[in-house]
Amino acid sequence: QVQLVESGGGLVQAGGSLRLSCAASISIFSFTAMGWYRQAPGKQRELVATITSSGTTNYADSAKGRFTISRDNAKNTVNLQMNSLKPEDTAVYYCNTKTIVTDYWGKGTLVTVSS
């Protein structure tokens, strides 16, 4: 069974930075893609950033230039460095990993950005 453990969420001032990390219980080579999604109160879950097994990255327009997704193969983690945070970034952030047939999700970590 795959487990995803997220860390790094918290409260930060606008303009500040946070680094989210998602540790997988198995080798990340098992996944075709990994990424981060977020869900704000009353909103649908949306893509923030993804990285494929080949290293291709994809970002939501709102994240481009501010967020960076990366992998640490040795630690079986996917990370999201978030800079220049805005209040509208406030949401629960979810780690996602994909195989060809199955998605795995973390339980989410709350990011709150104050004005």
Side-chain angles (χ1 to χ4, degrees):
Q1 182 179 356
V2 174
Q3 292 181 301
L4 304 175
V5 180
E6 298 153 318
S7 62
L11 175 65
V12 66
Q13 295 280 339
S17 299
L18 283 174
R19 179 179 176 271
L20 305 183
S21 182
C22 172
S25 61
I26 64 173
S27 172
I28 61 174
F29 291 113
S30 302
F31 305 117
T32 60
M34 300 175 290
W36 291 91
Y37 293 71
R38 68 186 182 189
Q39 187 168 21
K43 303 291 183 63
Q44 293 186 340
R45 190 174 299 186
E46 64 178 359
L47 181 149
V48 178
T50 60
I51 183 166
T52 69
S53 59
S54 64
T56 301
T57 57
N58 182 49
Y59 296 93
D61 288 342
S62 61
K64 290 179 180 177
R66 299 188 299 125
F67 294 2
T68 303
I69 189 169
S70 62
R71 302 178 303 195
D72 187 331
N73 295 338
K75 296 183 177 181
N76 293 326
T77 60
V78 58
N79 306 304
L80 184 69
Q81 179 66 46
M82 305 187 295
N83 299 325
S84 302
L85 284 163
K86 306 173 182 178
E88 50 262 45
D89 294 318
T90 296
V92 177
Y93 284 70
Y94 296 91
C95 178
N96 171 260
T97 62
K98 300 181 183 296
T99 69
I100 58 173
V101 295
T102 305
D103 280 22
Y104 297 96
W105 293 90
K107 294 181 179 179
T109 184
L110 178 63
V111 171
T112 302
V113 184
S114 62
S115 300

